[in-house]
Amino acid sequence: MSSPENTEEPLLTSEPTVEPPPEPAPGEHTDTLPSIEEQFRQLELQAAEHHDAWLRAKAEGENIRRRAQEDISKAHKFAVEKFAGELLAVKDSLEAALAAPEQTAESFKAGVELTLKQLVSAFEKNALNEVNPAGEKFNPHRHQAIAMVDSDQEPNTVVTVLQKGYLIAERVLRPALVMVAKPKS
């Protein structure tokens, strides 16, 4: 009989061999993931920080809106302040003219002319411009036609200005009242 030879062959098994992880060297640090509870606490802290920042930004936005509304209110309330200050000098001049005991027609006229100059100066300083369209083409945005008259001038030309108009910063405050040349028939 033959004797089986005793050979050592590795046996195949269904379990793989697992080697333990290497031991860290004494000076090495290994990264470990924080526990779920620690991650949750960190996320709660971040959420609280974000919520606090959001509340502060919201409050700042509301403060800016409130301040802007106050500024607009003050601008509306005091917009006329500069112009009113200019008109006070005109009023003072008129009162002084009326208070003078003995006036001649010439001195009264001179005082009225000086007062008119003060008023025109106040208008100029506050962008209040006169519209006197005599001889210009009729502009319905700046003029108000009262009548059409026969004239030698070109049709739709302003012939007579009954009342001057005024612009404030290029916006019509009062249109000029005018008479316009009729087209020849």
Side-chain angles (χ1 to χ4, degrees):
M1 286 193 48
S2 65
S3 70
E5 286 184 26
N6 194 359
T7 60
E8 290 187 28
E9 291 183 17
L11 298 173
L12 295 175
T13 61
S14 62
E15 294 180 21
T17 58
V18 177
E19 295 182 22
E23 293 284 324
E28 278 186 42
H29 178 271
T30 59
D31 287 336
T32 58
L33 292 176
S35 68
I36 291 177
E37 291 82 17
E38 182 61 32
Q39 289 178 0
F40 184 70
R41 272 183 256 132
Q42 288 176 354
L43 290 174
E44 280 182 327
L45 288 174
Q46 285 179 349
E49 287 175 15
H50 291 300
H51 182 71
D52 184 52
W54 175 78
L55 286 175
R56 289 177 189 273
K58 182 179 175 186
E60 182 65 23
E62 288 175 10
N63 287 340
I64 290 170
R65 183 188 53 78
R66 182 184 46 78
R67 277 188 236 120
Q69 284 178 337
E70 287 174 3
D71 289 346
I72 290 169
S73 173
K74 286 178 184 176
H76 285 295
K77 188 175 181 180
F78 299 112
V80 75
E81 184 176 16
K82 180 181 171 190
F83 186 60
E86 299 286 335
L87 290 181
L88 290 177
V90 174
K91 182 181 181 289
D92 292 341
S93 294
L94 289 171
E95 287 174 344
L98 291 174
E102 294 180 26
Q103 291 187 17
T104 64
E106 290 299 315
S107 68
F108 190 73
K109 183 180 177 189
V112 170
E113 287 173 347
L114 287 173
T115 303
L116 179 60
K117 284 182 183 178
Q118 285 180 320
L119 184 62
V120 168
S121 174
F123 283 4
E124 288 173 354
K125 288 178 184 176
N126 291 283
L128 184 59
N129 301 313
E130 185 178 281
V131 176
N132 189 0
E136 295 178 6
K137 277 294 217 187
F138 175 72
N139 179 346
H141 299 291
R142 292 189 177 196
H143 313 141
Q144 182 176 351
I146 299 299
M148 295 189 83
V149 294
D150 291 324
S151 174
D152 293 336
Q153 292 187 5
E154 193 175 315
N156 293 326
T157 301
V158 174
V159 176
T160 308
V161 177
L162 301 172
Q163 186 179 56
K164 295 175 185 174
Y166 288 91
L167 303 175
I168 188 162
E170 298 304 317
R171 183 175 171 187
V172 175
L173 180 64
R174 180 179 81 188
L177 296 178
V178 298
M179 295 176 83
V180 180
K182 255 190 215 181
K184 293 180 182 176
S185 47

